[in-house]
Amino acid sequence: MPPRVRCHASDADQPVRSTVLIILATSAAMQADIVYLGDGSRHCGALLVQAGYGVASQPASQEERTPDRSQMLREAFELFGDGDLAAGLRAMQRSVADASGAVLGDLDAQCRAARGIPLDEFLAKTRIYLASRAGHGRGFQLNSATKYERAALGRMLARQAEILLAREHDGRTVAEWASQLNEYDALKPDARLLVADAARAGALLAARLRFDPALKEKRAETARLTRLRADLMHLAGWVASLPGYMDLSPDDGWVDPIEPPIAGLAAASQPGGSERDAREADSRPADSEPSEE
């Protein structure tokens, strides 16, 4: 909302340097007013009086400095309702950034009531879905995550990777082919499906290795997942390099196991979804804010 300006002067013909009273209408989410005066100087707080180049100001109140996190979350839900998941994710992660435990508890209750899902899971599910939209729905790019959601994020990444690793191709699972790469010596009809599963599983493991707090004290598991990720990347690269691979039809029917966070977006999560749905689901990159490393 723009500031309301009230001018008081004893004479209507008095020059511009006469006393000016400015009352700024601030919202609870704003930290303070930034006021620029005629001499180019900048001041923080609510401007009360300007007389010539003299300034009298008062600091913003504690209430004005405290963001309305509940309102931020409501706005995030509205953005989700409009189909703008990327903007909704940014609003949702701002609502939890640096929030106290008590505030996070209130926000979680608000999310459960509005969406029927814990807030950390809703955050993580949305972030994973948007990451899966990279590369026209075949890639995976997850650049950041709030500390609040990381435990839920790690669990979800692990489940998604397990689904892909268990898929079978020519009598063996993806995990088995990754450990027996030298035995994949000829192109198979479902080679593109194997490459898609292996590449996505590897990307999911890379994200988990970066963000999952459960791995912090598990050195043996971290080492195992690191080796598995490398094997999956080698598998995908090897199969894709075999003669004739590029002649295989890209319309292979690959199914992405990652589900959208809200109803009505299922079509956009599949390769066969409409271009319009995919654009709406992508919106703007959600990982534009710095990671809480």
Side-chain angles (χ1 to χ4, degrees):
M1 182 181 295
R4 296 177 297 175
V5 180
R6 298 179 183 175
C7 299
H8 298 277
S10 58
D11 188 341
D13 297 326
Q14 210 170 353
V16 175
R17 292 178 59 189
S18 60
T19 301
V20 177
L21 173 65
I22 300 178
I23 303 176
L24 289 168
T26 59
S27 68
M30 294 178 62
Q31 292 187 354
D33 305 322
I34 303 298
V35 180
Y36 293 86
L37 301 183
D39 63 348
S41 61
R42 187 176 75 166
H43 299 269
C44 182
L47 180 64
L48 299 181
V49 177
Q50 175 182 345
Y53 291 136
V55 176
S57 63
Q58 67 179 15
S61 67
Q62 180 62 40
E63 181 179 356
E64 291 170 337
R65 291 196 300 268
T66 303
D68 188 344
R69 298 178 184 273
S70 179
Q71 177 60 28
M72 289 181 191
L73 190 56
R74 285 193 295 272
E75 291 172 356
F77 294 153
E78 291 176 3
L79 289 166
F80 282 120
D82 292 338
D84 194 344
L85 271 67
L89 176 60
R90 285 190 292 271
M92 191 159 49
Q93 65 190 14
R94 281 195 295 269
S95 73
V96 304
D98 300 320
S100 66
V103 170
L104 289 173
D106 291 341
L107 294 176
D108 179 67
Q110 182 179 343
C111 184
R112 290 171 186 264
R115 292 288 174 178
I117 184 174
L119 180 56
D120 59 343
E121 292 185 9
F122 193 28
L123 254 169
K125 190 173 185 180
T126 304
R127 194 179 301 280
I128 290 174
Y129 175 75
L130 287 173
S132 74
R133 302 307 303 154
H136 304 287
R138 287 292 180 106
F140 190 85
Q141 186 174 357
L142 200 158
N143 298 325
S144 67
T146 64
K147 292 180 180 179
Y148 173 67
E149 76 192 86
R150 288 188 183 185
L153 184 70
R155 293 191 298 269
M156 291 183 184
L157 291 170
R159 285 197 297 268
Q160 295 295 332
E162 288 170 1
I163 292 172
L164 293 166
L165 291 169
R167 285 183 174 175
E168 289 194 6
H169 299 276
D170 198 43
R172 301 185 190 184
T173 66
V174 173
E176 288 170 342
W177 278 122
S179 64
Q180 302 163 13
L181 174 60
N182 60 331
E183 297 187 25
Y184 197 101
D185 54 3
L187 199 65
K188 309 294 191 298
D190 65 349
R192 286 184 61 93
L193 296 175
L194 175 58
V195 169
D197 287 344
R200 173 61 68 79
L204 291 168
L205 291 180
R208 188 182 172 202
L209 286 165
R210 181 180 179 186
F211 294 114
D212 189 355
L215 295 176
K216 186 170 295 185
E217 304 299 329
K218 298 179 180 179
R219 294 185 178 181
E221 179 67 1
T222 297
R224 184 187 74 82
L225 293 177
T226 300
R227 290 192 300 270
L228 176 56
R229 176 186 175 274
D231 290 343
L232 289 166
M233 294 297 98
H234 291 154
L235 173 64
W238 167 250
V239 175
S241 70
L242 291 175
Y245 180 84
M246 298 306 297
D247 297 330
L248 296 175
S249 172
D251 188 16
D252 51 27
W254 182 72
V255 177
D256 190 342
I258 293 176
E259 299 178 351
I262 58 177
L265 290 173
S269 69
Q270 302 298 332
S274 71
E275 183 179 349
R276 178 175 179 273
D277 287 341
R279 284 199 307 269
E280 290 178 352
D282 285 335
S283 185
R284 289 193 295 148
D287 284 339
S288 58
E289 297 193 357
S291 174
E292 297 178 7
E293 299 283 15

